[in-house]
Amino acid sequence: MAAPVNGATPTPADALKQMRAAPGFEVKLVASEPDIRQPVTMTFDERGRLWVLQYLQYPTPAGLKPVKVDQYLRTKYDQLPPPPPRGPKGADRVTICEDTDGDGRMDKFKDFVTGLNLASGMCLGHGGLFVAQPPYLLFYADKNRDDLPDGDPEVLLTGFGMEDAHAFANSLQWGPDGWLYGAHGSTVSANIRGIEFQQGIWRYHPLTKEFELFAEGGGNTWGLDFDEDGEIIAGTNFGDVIGLHQVQGAYYVKGFTKHGPLHNPHTYGYFEHIPFKGFKGGHVTSGGIVYQGGAFPPEFNGAYIAANVLSHAVYWHKLVRKGSSFTGQFGGPLIETDDETFRPIDCLTGPDGAVYVADWCDPRATHLDPLDTWDRSNGRIYKLQASGAPAVAAKFDLARRSSQELIKLLADPNNWMRREARRLLAERRDAKILPSLRLQLLGAANDQLALETLWALHVSGGFNDTLVKQFLTHGSEQVRAWTIRLLGDARKLSSSQQKLLASAAHNGTSPIIRRQLAATAKRLPGKDALPIIRELLERDEDTEDPQIPLLLWWAIESKALSDRADVVALFASSSFWQHALVRRFIAGRLARRYAAEGTPKDYATCARLLTLAPDFATVEVLLNGMGEALVGRTFDEPPPSLEVWFDKAWPVHPRSSTLLRFGVRLGLEPVRSLVLTRIRDVQTPEADRIGLIEILGQVGQTESVPGLLELLEKSPSEKLRAAALTALQRFPEARIARALLVIYPGLSTDLRARARSALCSRPAWAAALVGAVEAGRFDAKEVAFDQLRQMRELQDVELNQRIEKRWGKVGTEAPEEKRNFINELKLVLKPSGAAARTGKGNGEEGRKIFAQACGVCHKLFGEGNTLGPDLTSADRRNTDTLLANIVTPSAYIRPEYVGFEAVTKDDQTIAGLMVESTADAVTLLDRNNQRQVLVRSELKDLKEATHSLMPEGLLEALSPQQVMDLFTYLQGEGR
């Protein structure tokens, strides 16, 4: 058996034997150690040679001293290193690999450049090699093509983040438009020419030297590719998904807990991952490609093929158009193995149409352990090809072909050839071929060739105003959409172009075109953009589109202040309000945007929109939007414009819960008195009562306490009691703690958990709880370890003494004790001898344990909650990693699950995940999955928590058999 023994890595030949290729495919070894080690990305040159970036310096830069390392392994260094060759020399290198004898194995290796220091991406073009080595984007010229840099590299960009080497700038490649695109990870912060971001897709133009953040968000992206239409599909590290469809100017889900909101605080929404079904256990899709090589069976054309470094596999997924975007479906495994050192990290289509896979080749995949135990002795490159694929093609050099010959390659069935031809044409900018390209575009035999020709024409310098009208009426929707996109790159339009785009918005039948019009409108001045936006908002058929509605909002938001009068003028017509896009996606967000700005002028604009609203249902939409902006905001005096409007509206709609909530936010005393009556009124719908209770808690007037206590004590509704309990936590009064202790025995299990957390959140309340335990009125066993720790963190000396006297010393065990316990559990989970024959876990019993101990926060196989990471997609086969994460949950916390601790000025302490953050308030999701809205002006302290929200001691409370049962379920495949 060739499986690793005691962490040993199988030889390349043995590793290959263990691989299981999908039916109809075979895997070949292309290169391995000692010639290639730690490969992180690859590319082919115009001669068909493979260039490999060896990431040997990972994870620590050479020559720098860490001055601060936080608990999430983000590191600050003592200096910004100078660029090569002046900066510290590292171990990274770019190696050119060549198959000289045609047997399919690389046999000639030459380093193009060495001494790189955490270089994480590369791309060939424009007579040299572009290299991402944060904080720099470098260019190594090689004009004479002798495979040696002509001199020191040119620094093109500075400012890529470098706090965490597993999230560096990566995946450089040419877009169809001639820009150099790249991805950026989640745990580093970039600031390039004043543009700050963490996660995102960025681009750089090699001729104009422009830099743009193409789209923001997306997780720890490692890998991006363009499909046949030029759409970007990017990788992800989120669970049970395959990736993101990254669109120009869009905003995407990101690690909000760690990095806070998107850099535009007024996005009011974001795009999620591509909707996906058919597979669980994704978590990481790295180095993904959209297959267009032409050498696989037809069902793989357009498939998304991506590495999964945690599952030791390469999977393929179907992408299906849905409106302007995609849905995904699991296609199946292409490569699987039991070899746990197989760590595929990058995929690449080759000149032969095969898929090349870079194998990091390491028993270790996670970076949670700060110790440098990475195995840098090996690395492999494999090739996945169709069974019986023809022998290696004859040698070629596309650079030696004429421009006319390159034009012919635009119709090649292998997209690698088409891209390489376009890259070379972009470098040449040969004016002589422009007439040929124009003729081919207008008379192309198929839409794909037309689109390829448009791209080639553009990068060759032949896209101009005289052709725009023809291209906007072309038979291919993609040609029309890309014409709009290329026009938008100039960020301005001529009057004739503006009319053409407005006409396209009015008449266009394709959601692809309307999506691009929305994205382009965001880039244009208001005078050019708003007529286009108006036409698009009247297209009710796009209401259910996955992307167009939010893209339209982002386009309007970009003009909300700069072109305020023109934006509001859109709403002067009552018919405009009736469009579904306006009612569902724009009106409420626009009111929220102006309310968020918070000046008298902005409140007057809100009042104007309320006055223009054609009916009260629309008024409520506007009020709900404004209410979201006003969370955490208090008024000494209500804004006059809104008070005048309210005084007219209230007599007409006195039963409106939405209107009442708005009045409470404005601080109108008569309204608050009515609300206190209304929450007790059983005739008021329960949902309305809950909404009013939430507002009372947020506003925090002590007159609300008696009514809220009455609901908590007497209401038969569990939901109302829960809402009242959440609201009451806002008030520091001692009578609340006394009431909680009295009614505690009659509460449900869920409300008991919430009540315990509440009692532990304030020194006086915690003292009351401890007193009840001391008096025998409260069972000490109900106070869990994490609640004892919560009370100790209140830093009350007398309280801590009482806790220690009753429960003993409360503190985390020493690291050595933790290690000993982990070793004991390893013997339980990996028994030898007779114990190995008798010690087996029961998965069904483990499922029950999971539901009780873990499912409160975690989801597995679709069951549980999402306060913590979805474990379905974790590295569950690695017992050592699982044990470390459970026994020492605070040793490493994934960035998106970093908790926060808030301390109010009245000494309440609340811990939770930050799910929303505005200038006026933060919202934490606490241990009980309850949202706690905290007003910033009333906070004494808000900081990242040093402990995980996951409590310690979970496994200590289980018997050996229960531990085996739990791990059998955790490491299984579900039911």
Side-chain angles (χ1 to χ4, degrees), residues 63-104:
L64 303 184
K65 293 181 180 180
V67 295
K68 182 180 179 182
V69 181
D70 69 15
Q71 66 200 91
Y72 318 113
L73 307 186
R74 295 172 299 190
T75 305
K76 291 185 178 180
Y77 296 100
D78 61 336
Q79 62 173 305
L80 188 72
R86 293 183 290 114
K89 286 182 169 48
D92 297 338
R93 59 186 60 216
V94 175
T95 303
I96 306 170
C97 314
E98 189 173 0
D99 174 15
T100 61
D101 56 12
D103 66 352

Side-chain angles (χ1 to χ4, degrees), residues 26 46 122 177 422 517 579 619 632 644 691 782 906:
E26 57 186 350
E46 65 273 12
M122 65 175 180
D177 49 10
R422 185 171 62 244
L517 282 164
H579 292 290
V619 166
V644 168
E782 292 212 33
D906 57 16

Side-chain angles (χ1 to χ4, degrees), residues 123 466 565:
C123 189
T466 61

Side-chain angles (χ1 to χ4, degrees), residues 258 460 489 532 543 818 940:
K258 181 176 182 181
S460 297
D489 278 351
I532 298 169
T543 306
K818 292 288 188 183
K940 184 174 12 178

Side-chain angles (χ1 to χ4, degrees), residues 852-906:
Q852 295 174 352
C854 313
V856 176
C857 296
H858 297 283
K859 182 175 286 187
L860 179 62
F861 308 130
E863 297 179 353
N865 292 307
T866 56
L867 183 61
D870 188 329
L871 300 181
T872 313
S873 54
D875 195 6
R876 293 181 290 112
R877 288 165 59 182
N878 191 321
T879 301
D880 292 349
T881 297
L882 270 182
L883 282 172
N885 288 341
I886 297 173
V887 176
T888 56
S890 298
Y892 173 77
I893 308 170
R894 275 174 50 181
E896 60 268 36
Y897 297 103
V898 176
F900 281 79
E901 292 178 350
V903 181
T904 65
K905 292 178 180 177
D906 57 16

